[in-house]
Amino acid sequence: EAACAHSMLAAVVAVVVDDADGGANAVAATLWRFERDCNSAVRENAGTEIPSGGVSTDDSSSKWPGKHLATAAWCIACDTNVDVDERVVAGAHVLPFLILGAPCEEAVGAFFGTRAAKLVELLNPQTADTELRSGVTSPGSVVANAHIAYATLAAMYTRCSKETVANGPGLSVNSFNAAVSRRAIGDLDGAGAVGVACKCASEATEA
């Protein structure tokens, strides 16, 4: 099921990424409805075995039927080999919709409990500077990282209580909220990852 979700989402994202008529939001909304309908099916079938090919009986999946799609969106968003626009559609449109529509905030907290370090790292200006100077990444990719991270964080903080964040990401990264705040303040001051990317792009233009 997880592999199927990844293949399906990657194909859909590739199709809608060039749609100037709101394709990204449309696919995100459709996936949100899919999750909502799956959750209704779980409630209706409570206590019964769900047939093969139906909604997974895995506990975490039953609490958040869209978890496999969220995992696929996260993987696409973080894959630097994927086109930047496709990464943004997956990470800044699809994933936030799935997070906000999740019926169980604890499942969302647990999801990011294993991804908290990566979220903070996406906004690391030192990493961005090193990778830009070595040619490993591009300014556009760095900005995409920030777009994905902030959209995802906004959805997570909206869906989860401070207790859930503390028991999820907060257990994986020391002072998680403070780390996120430092990254955000850095970007607001122009000294964050986005600022580093803009400086690199400006220098390349002047060269």
Side-chain angles (χ1 to χ4, degrees), residues 27-70:
V27 70
T30 299
L31 292 173
W32 182 87
R33 288 194 295 272
F34 163 82
E35 182 195 24
R36 181 195 62 193
D37 293 343
C38 283
N39 186 53
S40 297
V42 170
R43 288 198 300 270
E44 292 171 2
N45 288 282
T48 63
E49 183 178 353
I50 297 174
S52 175
V55 178
S56 171
T57 56
D58 173 77
D59 183 59
S60 60
S61 294
S62 65
K63 289 180 179 178
W64 187 11
K67 188 185 77 169
H68 288 311
L69 285 171

Coordinates of all heavy atoms in Angstrom, one line a residue, residues 27-70:
V27 N -5.5 18.8 -6.4 CA -5.1 17.4 -6.0 C -5.0 17.3 -4.5 O -5.4 16.2 -4.0 CB -3.8 17.0 -6.7 CG1 -2.6 17.8 -6.2 CG2 -3.6 15.5 -6.6
A28 N -4.5 18.3 -3.8 CA -4.4 18.2 -2.4 C -5.8 18.1 -1.8 O -6.0 17.3 -0.8 CB -3.7 19.5 -1.8
A29 N -6.8 18.9 -2.3 CA -8.1 18.8 -1.7 C -8.8 17.4 -2.0 O -9.5 16.9 -1.1 CB -9.0 19.9 -2.4
T30 N -8.5 16.9 -3.2 CA -9.0 15.5 -3.5 C -8.4 14.5 -2.5 O -9.1 13.6 -2.1 CB -8.6 15.1 -4.9 OG1 -9.2 16.1 -5.8 CG2 -9.1 13.7 -5.3
L31 N -7.1 14.6 -2.3 CA -6.5 13.6 -1.4 C -7.0 13.8 0.1 O -7.2 12.8 0.8 CB -5.0 13.8 -1.4 CG -4.3 13.3 -2.7 CD1 -2.9 13.7 -2.7 CD2 -4.5 11.9 -2.9
W32 N -7.3 15.0 0.4 CA -7.9 15.2 1.7 C -9.3 14.6 1.9 O -9.6 13.9 2.9 CB -8.1 16.8 2.0 CG -8.6 17.1 3.4 CD1 -7.9 17.2 4.5 CD2 -10.0 17.3 3.7 NE1 -8.8 17.5 5.6 CE2 -10.1 17.5 5.1 CE3 -11.2 17.2 2.9 CZ2 -11.3 17.8 5.7 CZ3 -12.4 17.5 3.6 CH2 -12.4 17.7 5.0
R33 N -10.1 14.7 0.8 CA -11.4 14.0 0.8 C -11.2 12.5 0.9 O -12.0 11.8 1.5 CB -12.2 14.4 -0.4 CG -12.7 15.8 -0.4 CD -13.8 16.1 -1.4 NE -13.3 16.0 -2.8 CZ -12.7 17.0 -3.4 NH1 -12.6 18.2 -2.8 NH2 -12.3 16.8 -4.6
F34 N -10.2 12.0 0.2 CA -9.9 10.5 0.2 C -9.6 10.1 1.6 O -10.2 9.1 2.1 CB -8.7 10.2 -0.6 CG -8.1 8.9 -0.4 CD1 -8.6 7.7 -1.0 CD2 -7.0 8.8 0.4 CE1 -8.0 6.5 -0.7 CE2 -6.4 7.5 0.7 CZ -6.9 6.4 0.1
E35 N -8.8 10.9 2.4 CA -8.5 10.5 3.7 C -9.8 10.6 4.6 O -10.0 9.7 5.4 CB -7.5 11.5 4.3 CG -7.1 11.1 5.7 CD -6.3 12.2 6.4 OE1 -6.5 13.4 6.0 OE2 -5.6 11.9 7.4
R36 N -10.6 11.6 4.4 CA -11.8 11.8 5.2 C -12.7 10.6 5.0 O -13.3 10.0 5.9 CB -12.5 13.1 4.8 CG -13.8 13.3 5.6 CD -14.6 14.4 4.9 NE -15.0 14.0 3.5 CZ -15.5 14.8 2.6 NH1 -15.6 16.1 2.9 NH2 -15.8 14.4 1.4
D37 N -12.9 10.2 3.7 CA -13.8 9.0 3.4 C -13.2 7.7 4.0 O -14.0 6.9 4.5 CB -14.0 8.9 1.9 CG -14.7 10.1 1.3 OD1 -15.4 10.8 2.1 OD2 -14.6 10.3 0.1
C38 N -11.9 7.6 3.9 CA -11.3 6.4 4.5 C -11.5 6.3 6.0 O -11.8 5.3 6.6 CB -9.8 6.4 4.2 SG -9.4 5.9 2.6
N39 N -11.5 7.5 6.7 CA -11.7 7.5 8.1 C -13.1 7.1 8.4 O -13.4 6.5 9.4 CB -11.4 8.9 8.6 CG -11.5 9.0 10.1 OD1 -10.8 8.2 10.8 ND2 -12.2 9.9 10.6
S40 N -14.1 7.6 7.6 CA -15.5 7.2 7.8 C -15.6 5.7 7.7 O -16.4 5.0 8.4 CB -16.4 7.9 6.8 OG -16.3 9.3 6.9
A41 N -14.9 5.1 6.7 CA -15.0 3.6 6.5 C -14.4 2.9 7.7 O -14.9 1.9 8.1 CB -14.2 3.2 5.3
V42 N -13.4 3.4 8.3 CA -12.8 2.8 9.5 C -13.8 2.8 10.6 O -14.0 1.8 11.3 CB -11.5 3.6 9.9 CG1 -11.0 3.1 11.3 CG2 -10.4 3.3 8.9
R43 N -14.5 3.9 10.8 CA -15.5 4.0 11.9 C -16.6 3.1 11.7 O -17.1 2.4 12.6 CB -16.0 5.5 12.0 CG -15.0 6.4 12.6 CD -15.7 7.7 13.1 NE -16.4 8.4 12.0 CZ -15.8 9.3 11.2 NH1 -14.6 9.6 11.4 NH2 -16.5 9.9 10.2
E44 N -17.1 3.0 10.4 CA -18.2 2.1 10.1 C -17.8 0.6 10.3 O -18.7 -0.2 10.6 CB -18.7 2.4 8.7 CG -19.3 3.8 8.5 CD -19.5 4.1 7.1 OE1 -19.3 3.2 6.2 OE2 -20.0 5.2 6.8
N45 N -16.6 0.3 10.1 CA -16.1 -1.1 10.2 C -15.4 -1.4 11.5 O -14.7 -2.4 11.6 CB -15.2 -1.4 9.0 CG -15.9 -1.5 7.7 OD1 -16.5 -2.5 7.4 ND2 -15.8 -0.4 6.9
A46 N -15.6 -0.6 12.5 CA -14.9 -0.8 13.8 C -15.3 -2.1 14.3 O -16.4 -2.6 14.4 CB -15.4 0.3 14.7
G47 N -14.2 -2.9 14.7 CA -14.4 -4.2 15.2 C -14.5 -5.3 14.2 O -14.6 -6.4 14.6
T48 N -14.4 -5.0 12.9 CA -14.5 -6.0 11.9 C -13.2 -6.0 11.1 O -12.5 -5.0 11.0 CB -15.7 -5.7 10.9 OG1 -15.5 -4.5 10.3 CG2 -17.0 -5.7 11.7
E49 N -12.9 -7.1 10.5 CA -11.7 -7.2 9.7 C -12.0 -6.6 8.3 O -13.0 -6.8 7.7 CB -11.4 -8.7 9.5 CG -10.1 -8.8 8.7 CD -9.7 -10.3 8.5 OE1 -10.3 -11.2 9.1 OE2 -8.7 -10.6 7.8
I50 N -11.1 -5.7 7.9 CA -11.2 -5.0 6.7 C -10.6 -5.9 5.6 O -9.5 -6.3 5.7 CB -10.5 -3.6 6.7 CG1 -11.2 -2.8 7.8 CG2 -10.6 -2.9 5.4 CD1 -10.5 -1.5 8.0
P51 N -11.3 -6.1 4.5 CA -10.8 -7.0 3.4 C -9.5 -6.5 2.8 O -9.2 -5.3 2.9 CB -12.0 -6.9 2.4 CG -13.2 -6.4 3.1 CD -12.6 -5.5 4.2
S52 N -8.8 -7.5 2.2 CA -7.6 -7.2 1.5 C -7.8 -6.1 0.5 O -8.8 -6.3 -0.3 CB -7.0 -8.4 0.9 OG -5.8 -8.1 0.2
G53 N -7.0 -5.1 0.4 CA -7.2 -4.1 -0.6 C -8.0 -2.9 -0.1 O -8.0 -1.9 -0.7
G54 N -8.5 -3.1 1.1 CA -9.3 -2.0 1.7 C -8.3 -1.1 2.6 O -7.1 -1.1 2.4
V55 N -8.9 -0.4 3.6 CA -8.1 0.4 4.5 C -7.3 -0.5 5.4 O -7.8 -1.5 5.9 CB -9.1 1.3 5.3 CG1 -8.2 2.1 6.3 CG2 -9.9 2.2 4.4
S56 N -6.0 -0.1 5.6 CA -5.1 -0.9 6.4 C -5.6 -1.1 7.8 O -6.2 -0.1 8.4 CB -3.8 -0.3 6.4 OG -2.9 -1.0 7.3
T57 N -5.5 -2.3 8.4 CA -5.8 -2.5 9.8 C -4.7 -2.1 10.7 O -4.8 -2.2 11.9 CB -6.2 -4.0 10.0 OG1 -5.1 -4.8 9.6 CG2 -7.4 -4.3 9.2
D58 N -3.6 -1.7 10.2 CA -2.5 -1.2 11.0 C -3.0 -0.1 11.9 O -3.7 0.8 11.4 CB -1.4 -0.7 10.1 CG -0.3 0.0 10.9 OD1 0.5 -0.7 11.5 OD2 -0.2 1.2 10.9
D59 N -2.6 -0.1 13.2 CA -3.2 0.9 14.1 C -2.9 2.3 13.7 O -3.8 3.1 13.8 CB -2.6 0.6 15.5 CG -3.2 1.5 16.6 OD1 -4.4 1.5 16.8 OD2 -2.4 2.3 17.2
S60 N -1.7 2.6 13.4 CA -1.4 4.0 13.0 C -2.1 4.4 11.8 O -2.5 5.6 11.6 CB 0.2 4.2 12.9 OG 0.6 3.3 11.8
S61 N -2.3 3.5 10.8 CA -3.0 3.8 9.6 C -4.5 4.0 9.9 O -5.1 4.9 9.2 CB -2.8 2.7 8.6 OG -1.4 2.7 8.2
S62 N -5.0 3.3 10.8 CA -6.5 3.4 11.1 C -6.7 4.8 11.8 O -7.8 5.4 11.7 CB -6.9 2.3 12.0 OG -6.3 2.3 13.3
K63 N -5.7 5.3 12.5 CA -5.9 6.6 13.2 C -5.7 7.7 12.2 O -6.2 8.8 12.4 CB -4.8 6.7 14.3 CG -5.1 5.8 15.5 CD -4.0 6.0 16.6 CE -4.3 5.2 17.8 NZ -3.2 5.3 18.8
W64 N -4.9 7.4 11.1 CA -4.7 8.4 10.1 C -4.6 7.7 8.8 O -3.6 7.3 8.3 CB -3.4 9.2 10.4 CG -3.1 10.3 9.4 CD1 -4.0 10.9 8.6 CD2 -1.9 11.1 9.3 NE1 -3.4 11.9 7.9 CE2 -2.1 12.1 8.3 CE3 -0.7 11.0 9.9 CZ2 -1.2 13.0 7.9 CZ3 0.3 11.9 9.5 CH2 0.1 12.9 8.6
P65 N -5.8 7.5 8.1 CA -5.9 6.7 6.9 C -5.0 7.3 5.8 O -4.5 6.5 4.9 CB -7.3 6.8 6.5 CG -8.0 6.9 7.8 CD -7.1 7.8 8.6
G66 N -4.7 8.6 5.8 CA -3.9 9.2 4.8 C -2.4 9.1 5.1 O -1.6 9.8 4.4
K67 N -2.0 8.3 6.1 CA -0.6 8.4 6.5 C 0.3 7.9 5.3 O 1.4 8.5 5.2 CB -0.4 7.5 7.7 CG 1.0 7.6 8.3 CD 1.3 6.6 9.4 CE 1.5 5.2 8.8 NZ 2.0 4.3 9.9
H68 N -0.1 6.9 4.6 CA 0.8 6.4 3.5 C 0.9 7.5 2.4 O 2.0 7.7 1.9 CB 0.2 5.2 2.9 CG 0.3 3.9 3.7 ND1 1.5 3.6 4.3 CD2 -0.6 3.0 4.1 CE1 1.3 2.5 5.0 NE2 0.0 2.1 4.9
L69 N -0.1 8.2 2.2 CA 0.0 9.3 1.2 C 0.9 10.5 1.8 O 1.6 11.1 1.0 CB -1.4 9.9 0.9 CG -2.2 9.0 -0.1 CD1 -3.7 9.5 -0.1 CD2 -1.6 9.0 -1.5
A70 N 0.7 10.7 3.1 CA 1.6 11.7 3.7 C 3.0 11.3 3.6 O 3.9 12.2 3.4 CB 1.1 11.9 5.2

